[in-house]
Amino acid sequence: MAKDTVRYPDKVVDEIDSLVEDGVFESKSEFYRFSAEYVLALVSDDWEPETFNYGEIREELDLQEEPVLLGADGGRDFLNAVITVRQLGLRNDFEEAEQFIDDNYETTDRSGMILEELLRVYRDRAEGGSTSGA
């Protein structure tokens, strides 16, 4: 099994800690494994979750088959948009990222607003001189 290091905002880690403390997940590792498999299953028709107790956890959490907020494509289009904005943000190509968002989303579209916020994070990092990735 491979080990991968990922940095999360403190607020996210605090919320995960709360879920573990409340017994929703047995451990942080179980949360991370389940959440990664869940998202992979959403965005890839070919992905078959292998995490131990995946089905039981999903049942206990009462997760819907098709998440309502992700749309009919299961979130693939939005996930691809996030990836595009992230890549452009990491390269400090903010104008191209803004153009991508403007070309694909209305100004009042929830997904577009989320992408704008993501882009703001990269812009703030660039202005603050931080070179670490998200």
Side-chain angles (χ1 to χ4, degrees), residues 89 92 94 116-132:
N92 294 337
F94 306 122
E116 290 283 353
E117 277 301 305
L118 176 63
L119 182 57
R120 185 186 58 77
V121 169
Y122 290 105
R123 181 176 277 127
D124 289 350
R125 284 184 182 170
E127 291 172 0
S130 174
T131 58
S132 64

Side-chain angles (χ1 to χ4, degrees), residues 1 25 27 29-40 47-58:
M1 187 177 285
F25 291 92
S27 66
S29 292
E30 181 183 66
F31 171 85
Y32 293 123
R33 282 190 297 271
F34 175 81
S35 61
E37 292 255 49
Y38 182 71
V39 171
L40 287 169
W47 186 259
E48 290 293 327
E50 297 177 3
T51 299
F52 180 70
N53 289 340
Y54 176 86
E56 291 175 28
I57 295 168
R58 186 170 175 179

Side-chain angles (χ1 to χ4, degrees), residues 69-84:
L69 296 178
L70 294 179
D73 70 338
R76 284 182 205 89
D77 289 342
F78 180 69
L79 179 62
N80 288 332
V82 168
I83 291 167
T84 298

Side-chain angles (χ1 to χ4, degrees), residues 3-118:
K3 184 176 181 179
D4 204 359
T5 302
V6 180
R7 295 169 94 49
Y8 292 98
D10 291 338
K11 188 174 181 178
V12 171
V13 174
D14 291 344
E15 187 63 28
I16 294 167
D17 286 339
S18 293
L19 291 172
V20 172
E21 288 172 17
D22 293 344
V24 176
F25 291 92
E26 287 185 23
S27 66
K28 288 167 63 169
S29 292
E30 181 183 66
F31 171 85
Y32 293 123
R33 282 190 297 271
F34 175 81
S35 61
E37 292 255 49
Y38 182 71
V39 171
L40 287 169
L42 287 176
V43 300
S44 174
D45 292 332
D46 298 329
W47 186 259
E48 290 293 327
E50 297 177 3
T51 299
F52 180 70
N53 289 340
Y54 176 86
E56 291 175 28
I57 295 168
R58 186 170 175 179
E59 237 177 70
E60 286 176 22
L61 294 175
D62 195 28
L63 298 173
Q64 299 175 7
E65 200 61 35
E66 285 290 326
V68 177
L69 296 178
L70 294 179
D73 70 338
R76 284 182 205 89
D77 289 342
F78 180 69
L79 179 62
N80 288 332
V82 168
I83 291 167
T84 298
V85 170
R86 181 178 186 277
Q87 288 172 335
L88 294 169
L90 286 170
R91 295 182 191 127
N92 294 337
D93 197 346
F94 306 122
E95 288 181 23
E96 187 173 341
E98 287 171 349
Q99 190 62 52
F100 172 81
I101 295 168
D102 291 345
D103 289 348
N104 292 285
Y105 297 91
E106 297 294 322
T107 56
T108 57
D109 188 306
R110 179 184 299 178
S111 297
M113 289 188 277
I114 292 169
L115 293 172
E116 290 283 353
E117 277 301 305
L118 176 63

